[in-house]
Amino acid sequence: MNKNSASFLPSLIRSGQNNEVTLRIMQTSDLHGNLRAYDYLSDTGGQSYGLTRLATLIKQARRESPNCLLFDCGDFLQGTPLSDLTANPEYGWAGPNPVIDVMNQLKYDAVGLGNHEFNFGLNWLAAAVKSAQFPMICANVLRNHKAKSDLQGTLVEPFVILNKTLKLSEKRKQLLRIGVLGLVPPQITSWDRAHLQGRIKCLDMLEAAQDNLQKMRAMGTDLIVLLAHTGAIPGPAHDNMENAALQLADAGGIDAILAGHTHQVFPRPDQQSNDGIDHQASTFCGVPAVMAGFRGSHLGVLDLALTHDGTRWYITGHNGRAIAASALDVPEDKALTIEIKKAHHATRTLVARPLGHCGIPLHSYLARIRPDPSLALIARATKRAVANALQDSPHADLPVLSAVAPFKTGGQAGPEYYHDIPPGQIRLRHLFGLYPFPNTVCALKVTGAELLEWLERTASCFNHLETGTSDQPLLNPHFPGHAFDVIHGIQYQIDLSQLPRYKPCGTPSGVSSGRILDLKFHSQIIDINQKFIIATNSHRAHGGGLYPDWPADRWVINSANSLQDILSDELQRNIAITPKDLSDWRFVPMPETTAIFETGPGVRAYQTELSTCRLSDLGNNDQGFAKLRLQLGPRDT
């Protein structure tokens, strides 16, 4: 961005007139360790995201407005090889945490914890907190030895009160006391149970918010900003919600909400407003709000017009935007790239480490419409690990299945967010692409009926299609790709002419009919009482996504073995992926019916696979995704 370029976000009003002033609040969220505009998995730079790109926007915003605050809403410490190398002593990194280092340089005013801050345990998190030169806050995570009502027992400070001197004019200033509250989904105690069980407990977000808001007001705050690591999903409030931004706004007492967790961008003026989500006004239930996307894709900016009546401050107007890092040709901040140069080069060296060899390409472009080799590799590894662990156990004779999902399938992250590994040598960076999260291997004992319901949940990610209609959108955009579980070891078909049984939040839709047909094991229809062992990851088994949290009596294995380590061992075996490794599922044929499937443009390198899947290329859509027509009619015999 040229220093002489026009302001990217003009202030709402002129400061200094009638005790009016504009406070600019900037937000990052769900950075997931993406500091540089660099993809370590493909070893290429120039990406359209990253905190060093946002840093250029942040500094520009500070030049434009004398009254600025900078916050992050969580999930900043984990997610790339650059960030995760700090968690594994075997990787040999002895320097400072590079994420904290950059955030210190940018002088964040406060940062809220996200669920992924707990992925590597409390000791690792404590070290990060200790090195931070800014407050880390979270109001609903308590140390376990404290009573529920004693919020002084929080793991980190529940909130911080910032004394900000606002500049009204060259000669006039006014003190503003800004309370900043942090919240995280209570599901962290399930998702990272291996690290957290018995050490912390987590309160309902709405309960913790109301308790702390009263305290903050009593301490004389003029304005309360919520750092909410939670998304906005319409519906009534209920206990222990994962995505409660709308319900928190509706409860009152909050002046501005900075949300996250779901990797969405808000506001999006091109989207319709409903159910309390107003894209045009940038509000959640009337409260000014922004969401800054994922991995440094956007900078959230709220300009609040404040008026002081001699007694207190009032918000008299606001303007909210999510500014893309790719906008206005934003370059990376040079000072910060120099600051993390050593960590950047150490990461590139680390991820170049060879692991094994694969004779076929592994990519995720088509993982949601056909049996996928990448998922087959992960399923084979987890199935082998579970089967070995069950030897000589009471469950040794039960068939072992494996549930896996694709993690990189575009969506909110954009058309480049796919893994694409060419045939040949497999390196550590490819492993991070195939499985980017530090989940552990788990196994559950399920019945045939529960297996069927598992698949009904995953099949709900597709839209309802009308037979005989052309070019209907295939995917429901509200279902993330990582919620699409494929179960290996059985056979089944998905009937898209039926309505989905589940909503994107995981609750039943009220539809009694099902989409899963011909559910078989070894070519025999599965009985509802038949027993299976299903290998999965700790996040899914503990209720991650739209899936249930399984009761203790269904757990067969709850290991501390990371899926990345198990997959690394599998890659080093150099065993070819064969057709028998692939999952066995397909869509039920729909005569004279086509659907539109959107995926990464890199899929065009695989013309044979496009033909096999009966896909025809319709060019790119406005977001840069490849737009493909999927033929769903019966195949020619």
Side-chain angles (χ1 to χ4, degrees):
M1 182 194 300
N2 190 304
K3 291 183 179 180
N4 297 320
S5 63
S7 169
F8 70 88
L9 187 58
S11 295
L12 272 173
I13 57 175
R14 292 183 178 180
S15 299
Q17 296 182 359
N18 300 320
N19 291 325
E20 293 180 337
V21 66
T22 299
L23 175 67
R24 174 163 287 176
I25 297 175
M26 295 179 287
Q27 178 218 22
T28 59
S29 187
D30 297 275
L31 291 168
H32 284 287
N34 285 276
L35 301 184
R36 292 288 311 274
Y38 200 92
D39 184 352
Y40 294 101
L41 308 186
S42 63
D43 198 28
T44 55
Q47 306 303 319
S48 61
Y49 53 80
L51 186 53
T52 51
R53 278 199 191 277
L54 295 185
T56 301
L57 290 174
I58 290 166
K59 292 180 179 181
Q60 174 80 358
R62 284 171 170 163
R63 287 192 294 268
E64 291 177 7
S65 174
N67 306 314
C68 285
L69 293 171
L70 175 62
F71 302 114
D72 185 88
C73 289
D75 279 6
F76 53 96
L77 284 175
Q78 177 278 335
T80 64
L82 175 68
S83 60
D84 296 1
L85 62 81
T86 65
N88 193 334
E90 295 180 1
Y91 291 161
W93 177 248
N97 185 305
V99 179
I100 298 295
D101 188 24
V102 169
M103 296 179 86
N104 284 339
Q105 295 295 320
L106 282 172
K107 301 186 184 304
Y108 275 76
D109 291 283
V111 168
L113 297 182
N115 55 291
H116 283 285
E117 267 66 76
F118 297 88
N119 284 168
F120 298 120
L122 294 181
N123 292 338
W124 179 77
L125 176 56
V129 171
K130 185 177 180 180
S131 63
Q133 297 169 12
F134 47 83
M136 288 193 199
I137 57 174
C138 187
N140 63 320
V141 177
L142 280 66
R143 297 183 187 277
N144 202 36
H145 65 279
K146 296 290 185 179
K148 181 178 179 181
S149 60
D150 181 9
L151 290 182
Q152 295 304 312
T154 49
L155 183 69
V156 295
E157 291 299 318
F159 58 80
V160 64
I161 296 179
L162 305 174
N163 293 313
K164 180 72 173 178
T165 300
L166 300 183
K167 185 177 180 181
L168 280 69
S169 66
E170 287 300 322
K171 296 182 179 181
R172 298 175 60 209
K173 297 180 180 179
Q174 182 79 41
L175 178 67
L176 185 71
R177 287 174 57 81
I178 304 163
V180 188
L181 177 69
L183 294 171
V184 71
Q187 286 77 11
I188 61 168
T189 53
S190 293
W191 297 337
D192 277 305
R193 186 175 299 180
H195 293 305
L196 304 180
Q197 189 171 25
R199 302 189 66 184
I200 68 167
K201 55 186 174 183
C202 204
L203 302 181
D204 174 87
M205 286 187 286
L206 279 84
E207 175 190 351
Q210 291 307 311
D211 286 344
N212 282 277
L213 288 172
Q214 294 179 14
K215 293 183 179 183
M216 296 166 77
R217 291 295 184 191
M219 296 172 69
T221 54
D222 298 305
L223 189 74
I224 291 181
V225 177
L226 177 62
L227 308 187
H229 191 76
T230 186
I233 293 181
H238 59 81
D239 290 342
N240 295 316
M241 296 185 72
E242 177 184 349
N243 290 295
L246 288 175
Q247 294 74 16
L248 286 161
D250 194 45
I254 298 167
D255 296 300
I257 294 181
L258 312 182
H261 183 54
T262 54
H263 297 182
Q264 293 177 309
V265 176
F266 178 84
R268 295 181 60 187
D270 61 326
Q271 298 294 307
Q272 290 186 345
S273 299
N274 51 56
D275 297 319
I277 301 174
D278 192 328
H279 287 275
Q280 283 65 47
S282 191
T283 58
F284 292 157
C285 296
V287 178
V290 289
M291 295 179 72
F294 163 60
R295 64 177 181 170
S297 63
H298 291 73
L299 179 69
V301 179
L302 268 179
D303 276 351
L304 302 179
L306 305 174
T307 300
H308 195 270
D309 66 357
T311 302
R312 55 166 295 186
W313 288 98
Y314 294 91
I315 297 177
T316 55
H318 75 278
N319 187 2
R321 298 188 191 180
I323 305 165
S326 58
L328 305 176
D329 194 27
V330 178
E332 292 186 83
D333 182 84
K334 291 183 179 179
L336 290 182
T337 59
I338 293 172
E339 180 73 21
I340 57 172
K341 182 178 180 180
K342 185 176 180 180
H344 173 68
H345 288 304
T347 303
R348 291 189 63 202
T349 300
L350 170 69
V351 298
R353 183 186 301 173
L355 290 178
H357 186 276
C358 185
I360 63 172
L362 300 172
H363 62 80
S364 56
Y365 298 122
L366 304 174
R368 299 178 73 179
I369 64 166
R370 60 101 195 250
D372 184 73
S374 300
L375 298 186
L377 177 65
I378 300 169
R380 191 174 69 185
T382 56
K383 183 177 179 180
R384 178 181 285 113
V386 167
N388 289 341
L390 292 179
Q391 289 181 3
D392 302 322
S393 80
H395 308 291
D397 293 333
L398 290 179
V400 178
L401 312 175
S402 182
V404 294
F407 290 107
K408 302 182 69 175
T409 57
Q412 295 286 342
E416 303 303 319
Y417 192 63
Y418 296 83
H419 69 255
D420 190 345
I421 305 169
Q425 191 170 61
I426 301 292
R427 299 183 181 274
L428 186 59
R429 66 169 176 264
H430 299 135
L431 170 66
F432 282 112
L434 289 166
Y435 209 97
F437 297 108
N439 299 328
T440 59
V441 176
C442 298
L444 305 166
K445 183 169 66 174
V446 302
T447 65
E450 291 164 336
L451 192 61
L452 175 63
E453 210 59 27
W454 192 315
L455 289 170
E456 287 291 353
R457 287 179 183 273
T458 194
S460 294
C461 76
F462 299 108
N463 285 322
H464 171 236
L465 303 186
E466 296 285 348
T467 301
T469 302
S470 299
D471 295 354
Q472 305 162 87
L474 179 67
L475 300 176
N476 183 332
H478 299 296
F479 281 84
H482 58 74
F484 179 63
D485 275 2
V486 175
I487 299 183
H488 292 246
I490 55 175
Q491 303 90 47
Y492 55 97
Q493 297 187 62
I494 300 175
D495 186 356
L496 300 182
S497 70
Q498 299 297 314
L499 293 168
R501 286 263 287 271
Y502 288 89
K503 299 177 183 178
C505 60
T507 59
S509 65
V511 173
S512 58
S513 59
R515 289 181 154 186
I516 302 301
L517 303 181
D518 297 331
L519 181 59
K520 297 178 181 179
F521 176 68
H522 287 174
S523 301
Q524 299 296 314
I525 295 293
I526 291 175
D527 183 86
I528 61 171
N529 297 312
Q530 193 170 349
K531 301 294 192 298
F532 297 90
I533 301 297
I534 188 162
T536 186
N537 65 68
S538 52
H539 180 73
R540 183 69 82 238
H542 286 304
L546 65 154
Y547 294 83
D549 187 357
W550 288 83
D553 63 351
R554 297 305 185 92
W555 286 74
V556 175
I557 295 174
N558 186 10
S559 77
N561 298 324
S562 83
L563 263 157
Q564 288 179 339
D565 289 343
I566 289 170
L567 184 55
S568 175
D569 292 342
E570 185 72 19
L571 289 167
Q572 292 177 63
R573 293 164 62 89
N574 290 325
I575 299 175
I577 299 171
T578 66
K580 71 185 180 84
D581 294 314
L582 297 176
S583 56
D584 191 357
W585 72 274
R586 65 206 65 203
F587 295 120
V588 173
M590 300 178 66
E592 299 180 353
T593 305
T594 63
I596 297 299
F597 171 62
E598 295 175 344
T599 188
V603 73
R604 295 188 175 103
Y606 303 101
Q607 290 296 316
T608 299
E609 295 180 43
L610 292 179
S611 176
T612 301
C613 293
R614 299 196 296 169
L615 292 164
S616 53
D617 194 343
L618 302 179
N620 284 358
N621 68 10
D622 292 341
Q623 290 76 45
F625 288 91
K627 186 176 178 180
L628 307 176
R629 176 180 289 128
L630 173 64
Q631 298 287 340
L632 289 168
R635 289 180 179 270
D636 296 333
T637 57

